[in-house]
């Protein structure tokens, strides 16, 4: 019953459809598995995960029979995923030295996230981007390390 059009988050899509159909789902906080992050794996794809969440939520929002509460919760989650995506795109742009792009993405993300560190990064990018680039590249030798 997984949606084969989804590359990842297909389990979450199934759970949403099951819950909407009236099935009971349970949650517990015991750790059952751990992700192994390595370059090239689905779990390490920082852009793929929020994009998959956005795809699942956009699909869910197409349902005609959503209650107002369900729609509002889905829209809030969609906004959060879009902010995560903007944040990651901003980090990538920062690492690559694309100042204007980084400021744009980080500003979009911070409208939702409201983190002082993101605000500080935007300020440094505006005033002394070379300083931020130097710190980042000295501490993280690859973009993969910087994003994880």
């Amino acid at each position: 019953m997984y949606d084969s059009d989804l590359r990842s988050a297909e389990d979450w899509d199934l759970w949403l459809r099951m819950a909407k159909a009236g099935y009971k789902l349970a949650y517990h906080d015991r750790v059952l598995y751990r992700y192994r992050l390595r370059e090239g794996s689905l779990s390490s794809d920082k852009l793929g995960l929020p994009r998959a969440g956005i795809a699942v939520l956009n699909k869910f929002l197409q349902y005609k029979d959503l209650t107002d509460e369900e729609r509002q919760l889905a829209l809030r989650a969609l906004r959060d995923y879009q902010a995560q995506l903007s944040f990651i795109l901003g980090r990538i742009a920062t690492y690559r030295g694309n100042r204007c792009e980084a400021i744009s993405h980080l500003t979009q993300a911070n409208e939702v996230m409201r983190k002082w560190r993101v605000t500080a990064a935007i300020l440094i990018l505006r005033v002394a981007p070379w300083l931020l680039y130097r710190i980042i590249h000295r501490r993280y030798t690859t973009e993969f390390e910087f994003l994880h």
Side-chain angles (χ1 to χ4, degrees):
M1 292 177 49
Y2 288 121
D3 183 345
S4 60
D5 292 335
L6 297 172
R7 182 171 178 236
S8 62
E10 66 282 356
D11 51 352
W12 188 39
D13 171 66
L14 177 63
W15 300 336
L16 285 174
R17 287 185 284 128
M18 289 173 65
K20 186 64 184 152
Y23 289 90
K24 301 260 186 222
L25 302 172
Y27 168 82
H28 65 83
D29 56 5
R30 196 174 97 223
V31 175
L32 299 176
Y33 62 90
R34 297 193 190 276
Y35 281 110
R36 186 177 99 183
L37 296 179
R38 62 179 172 24
E39 206 164 352
S41 69
L42 278 178
S43 298
S44 73
D45 183 0
K46 290 292 191 179
L47 291 172
L49 295 175
R51 284 178 175 156
I54 290 168
V56 167
L57 288 164
N58 280 329
K59 179 182 169 186
F60 183 74
L61 285 164
Q62 297 304 310
Y63 294 166
K64 304 289 185 218
D65 62 340
L66 291 179
T67 66
D68 287 340
E69 182 182 16
E70 290 168 339
R71 186 168 302 284
Q72 290 306 312
L73 287 170
L75 287 170
R76 188 176 317 140
L78 179 61
R79 186 195 66 183
D80 290 345
Y81 271 110
Q82 290 167 333
Q84 285 177 25
L85 181 61
S86 291
F87 178 69
I88 294 162
L89 289 170
R91 285 183 62 118
I92 290 169
T94 300
Y95 192 86
R96 294 179 180 174
N98 299 332
R99 179 178 166 265
C100 292
E101 186 180 336
I103 290 170
S104 175
H105 286 300
L106 292 175
T107 300
Q108 287 174 358
N110 212 29
E111 288 173 5
V112 174
M113 298 169 71
R114 301 191 187 281
K115 303 250 183 190
W116 71 267
R117 289 179 133 182
V118 178
T119 303
I122 294 167
L123 180 62
I124 294 169
L125 281 167
R126 287 192 171 129
V127 176
W130 56 269
L131 177 62
L132 188 58
Y133 302 151
R134 182 175 285 166
I135 291 168
I136 289 170
H137 285 274
R138 188 170 285 161
R139 185 165 181 195
Y140 304 98
T141 58
T142 67
E143 186 176 84
F144 184 81
E145 286 178 6
F146 179 62
L147 294 176
H148 296 84

